[in-house]
Amino acid sequence: MLSSPWFFFVTVLAWSWLFWIPMAVMEMSVQTIPGIIFGLLGLLGPMFGGIIFTYLTQNKEGRRDYWLRIVDLKRISAKWYLFIFLFVEILMSISLTFNLLFDKNFA
């Protein structure tokens, strides 16, 4: 059961929403210290889940392989690093351009 992708998905989703639902109900801003803490705890759900499920379902070699995959920068080619680092900037530039062209209330 632990090795099921569905069990993993439900678990990390439940972990994340365990923090995000109270944050929304209490109308907590992400610009406050409690909001930052709750937000980050929710965001870290998939990472914690991946680490915990790897340790629960894999042997020593599987855990070693997991960590090697996480830290091995050579697994990603240079063109993908370029995409990773430029994608958000390109999207933000396009968004800003549209905003400047079509929104008369830009401050």
Side-chain angles (χ1 to χ4, degrees):
M1 180 169 116
L2 285 176
S3 61
S4 166
W6 290 108
F7 186 68
F8 170 80
F9 178 72
V10 169
T11 303
V12 298
L13 197 62
W15 171 270
S16 295
W17 285 101
L18 176 72
F19 294 99
W20 291 341
I21 289 174
M23 195 174 150
V25 169
M26 293 186 288
E27 297 179 1
M28 199 179 298
S29 170
V30 293
Q31 296 176 344
T32 63
I33 297 297
I36 292 170
I37 292 170
F38 271 68
L40 283 176
L41 285 171
L43 283 173
L44 294 174
M47 182 188 73
F48 288 149
I51 293 169
I52 291 167
F53 276 79
T54 298
Y55 274 83
L56 292 175
T57 61
Q58 300 294 317
N59 59 15
K60 187 176 181 178
E61 183 59 34
R63 291 189 293 265
R64 183 178 183 277
D65 181 56
Y66 172 79
W67 287 109
L68 287 175
R69 288 172 181 260
I70 297 260
V71 298
D72 186 9
L73 298 177
K74 296 176 194 165
R75 293 180 57 87
I76 302 174
S77 67
K79 69 178 180 180
W80 284 108
Y81 278 114
L82 188 64
F83 176 78
I84 291 166
F85 291 116
L86 292 179
F87 182 71
V88 172
E89 285 76 9
I90 291 169
L91 281 180
M92 289 178 71
S93 298
I94 292 169
S95 174
L96 181 60
T97 302
F98 276 106
N99 193 8
L100 289 171
L101 289 174
F102 301 112
D103 185 16
K104 303 299 182 211
N105 297 323
F106 187 76

